[in-house]
Every structure is written in C-alpha cells, then in structure tokens.
Amino acid sequence: MAETNPEVMAMIKDELQKNPDISNQELFEKAQSVDPDIAKLSARQFNARYPLQVKRTVAPKKKTTTRRTARGRTRGETRTAAARRAPATPRLSKAPTDSRDKVRAVLLELARDVAAAEGKGDVVDVIMSIDRYVDRVVKAAG
C-alpha cells in the first residue's frame, strides 16, 4: 500500500488554495523540495497520490436537482405528463448522521488506498486487508 507524506499533502493543499491553476509539474518540483523521495514517482503517480486526493477532498459536493417551472413541471414536460406524475409525498430528511459520516470516511479511505496502489500486487494487498476496513465500518456504524 502506497504511503503519503503528510507534510507534502499539507504543502499541496496550501499551494492549491493559494493558486488553484498551479501546474502539476510545479507542485511536483515543490514536493521534491519537501521530500526528496517524491522524485522516485512518475508524474502520473505523484498526481494520483497527492494533488488529485487533495482536490477530491476540497471539491464542492455536487447537488443534482431537476429544475421545475412555477407550475411544477420540468422544462419540456407537458401538462398531461405532469398530471400523470404521482402527487408529491413528504420525504424523510436525509440529514447526515455522525455514524454515517464515519462510515463514509472509512470507505473513502479504502478507495484512496486502492487508488494509491501502484501495481496489481498492491491492490491485492489492500483487498486482502478488507477485514480491517469492515471492522472500522462496523465500529463506526455503532
């Protein structure tokens, strides 16, 4: 399983906040000054391990909704299609809970570990340690 350097991760996050348009090459060079072992990585490996992970955590969550007109129809929907639609029913709130956030964090860590794996052998190692993630999900779910 590929390890990340927390100092490099923090530097990448700071640099991306200062200049979101900074190139990966510039980040790669700055990261090498923080940790010389970074030079062993290809540009692609570096991007997957550091900038991409930071961008994923910082990116705003997308909200997918259907725009409706004042009469309750979606754009392009005819009056009869809107009438055929079942009446709106109250939905339960989908407010995130503490345990949901913890489970989500564990699953995201698993995904990061799989994405950071450099070869097939590393992916297999991550999958072989799935029990560790399952135990953490069970604990987080309460």
Side-chain angles (χ1 to χ4, degrees), residues 7-26:
E7 292 175 17
V8 173
M9 199 66 89
M11 183 276 300
I12 298 287
K13 185 175 182 179
D14 291 342
E15 290 297 324
L16 286 171
Q17 285 176 345
K18 290 179 198 172
N19 180 9
D21 297 327
I22 191 169
S23 71
N24 283 333
Q25 184 62 35
E26 290 175 281

Side-chain angles (χ1 to χ4, degrees), residues 39-55:
K40 295 177 186 175
L41 301 175
S42 69
R44 189 174 185 174
Q45 290 170 326
F46 169 75
N47 184 50
R49 193 172 296 172
Y50 293 99
L52 187 59
Q53 300 307 317
V54 171
K55 289 176 184 177

